[in-house]
Amino acid sequence: MRILFTGASSFTGMWFARELAQAGHEVVATFRQPPEAYADAGRRQRVALAQQSCRAEIGCSFGDARFLELVRSRSWDLLCHHGADVTNYRSPDFDPLGAAQRNSANLPAVLQALRERQCSRVLLTGSVFENDEGAGSEGLPAFSPYGLSKAFTYQLFRHHAARAGLALGKFVIPNPFGPYEEPRFTSFLMKTWGEGKPAKVNTPAYVRDNIHVSLLAKAYAKFAARLPAAGLHFARPSGYAESQGAFTLRVAAAMRERLGLACEVELATQAEFAEPRIRINTEPADDGSFPWSEKAAWDEFAAFYRAAAPR
């Protein structure tokens, strides 16, 4: 397939774009700026890696004049819109309406241009932390204003794709982890253990859905390849759906075996629950329909952090 892909500078986006290319698809990935212009070293590295397997279009944002020119320049089989406004996404002051507007800039014009170039399918990335996604507790509220922005973006895409007569797929991401990840929970664990300290987990009772990014990428490529040319379709791949305490012990065991570190864990007694206690996806990602090795994924994770450790 000829695929136009946005958001390949992100952790999951880089993995998705590379997996699509490795599956034999021709992937054109858009970037707002060249690798050296990104302030974050991790993002610079991901852009460089994505460019090794994808054709890069630099200086291009979803819906702008350059993007519309690119859409109209050739025929496409699929638009993968993975990019999203994540500026200060953890802040309670994050503007969900403004972010959704930027995520869907000139959406009717983009979809019309796709139709004119014989493209009938759009694949949008969602999050399990949106309202009304996945399975869990407290009535499935959005976790944050960022979660709201993702839900608003989906509703805009659903509305305009239906009006344009295009198929829409929604791929819902849980908690990915793996090489080239953002500084989050597993990177905290690895940093702490690398320093020879025990990792204290203050929220072990939350039930979350952590998934190897390599597995998530294969599930994404499979969904993209099989997305029908009409209708509304969903994929909600699940990995390790368990408490954060249990997941921490799982990571510790895998890293202790591979890196020879003590990987000590201290699980606090959680008394406060500022977020919903349970939120997971509902479809096992490793369904045997594609080659993937859990052992190899843990080996790759360990090798990444071994290489990143101070000498």
Side-chain angles (χ1 to χ4, degrees):
M1 293 192 296
R2 294 177 298 275
I3 298 174
L4 181 57
F5 191 97
T6 73
S9 70
S10 69
F11 166 46
T12 48
M14 181 272 287
W15 277 88
F16 290 178
R18 291 200 310 171
E19 187 65 36
L20 289 169
Q22 290 168 9
H25 305 299
E26 179 186 350
V27 182
V28 176
T30 62
F31 300 93
R32 291 182 292 107
Q33 49 196 1
E36 63 274 11
Y38 288 91
D40 176 63
R43 195 169 291 270
R44 290 196 299 271
Q45 185 178 30
R46 291 193 296 269
V47 173
L49 287 168
Q51 289 182 352
Q52 292 177 8
S53 55
C54 307
R55 193 186 101 201
E57 289 289 339
I58 307 295
C60 192
S61 296
F62 184 85
D64 68 10
R66 177 71 187 90
F67 188 86
L68 285 167
E69 178 185 344
L70 178 61
V71 172
R72 294 170 178 142
S73 68
R74 59 176 301 181
S75 60
W76 302 97
D77 296 300
L78 177 65
L79 167 65
C80 292
H81 188 31
H82 182 74
D85 184 351
V86 296
T87 306
N88 297 321
Y89 74 99
R90 295 181 181 178
S91 169
D93 297 324
F94 183 86
D95 178 10
L97 290 174
Q101 185 178 35
R102 289 183 285 275
N103 294 343
S104 56
N106 288 325
L107 182 56
V110 170
L111 298 181
Q112 180 59 35
L114 288 170
R115 280 186 57 88
E116 292 171 356
R117 302 309 297 169
Q118 290 78 53
C119 181
S120 61
R121 299 180 298 159
V122 175
L123 175 50
L124 178 70
T125 301
S127 168
V128 75
F129 299 124
E130 297 175 33
N131 50 290
D132 305 317
E133 264 302 348
S137 58
E138 286 85 21
L140 303 181
F143 271 54
S144 65
Y146 172 72
L148 282 175
S149 77
K150 295 291 288 183
F152 293 158
T153 299
Y154 162 65
Q155 292 299 336
L156 287 166
F157 268 76
R158 178 177 179 176
H159 174 77
H160 287 292
R163 287 176 63 88
L166 300 183
L168 177 63
K170 184 182 183 185
F171 187 85
V172 181
I173 293 182
N175 281 0
F177 69 96
Y180 311 105
E181 63 189 355
E182 303 282 359
R184 295 180 66 186
F185 185 64
T186 48
S187 61
F188 153 74
L189 294 177
M190 298 306 296
K191 180 178 184 296
T192 304
W193 291 332
E195 295 171 348
K197 302 174 183 176
K200 184 174 182 179
V201 181
N202 293 320
T203 57
Y206 279 141
V207 175
R208 298 292 183 257
D209 197 340
N210 296 283
I211 187 169
H212 286 282
V213 70
S214 57
L215 174 58
L216 187 69
K218 287 189 176 295
Y220 184 90
K222 171 188 169 183
F223 185 60
R226 298 183 181 183
L227 185 63
L232 181 63
H233 308 275
F234 299 90
R236 299 180 173 96
S238 177
Y240 301 123
E242 60 192 0
S243 73
Q244 286 295 87
F247 176 68
T248 302
L249 295 175
R250 180 189 296 275
V251 179
M255 294 303 99
R256 198 176 292 125
E257 172 187 351
R258 288 164 173 81
L259 298 178
L261 300 174
C263 298
E264 295 177 282
V265 176
E266 296 178 4
L267 301 180
T269 300
Q270 186 172 349
E272 296 184 2
F273 294 86
E275 298 177 350
R277 296 178 70 118
I278 304 170
R279 187 64 65 86
I280 60 175
N281 264 344
T282 55
E283 304 163 4
D286 188 10
D287 60 2
S289 63
F290 46 72
W292 180 78
S293 165
E294 182 180 21
K295 178 182 180 301
W298 282 120
D299 290 345
E300 186 176 25
F301 182 73
F304 174 77
Y305 278 101
R306 182 188 296 112
R311 303 294 179 183

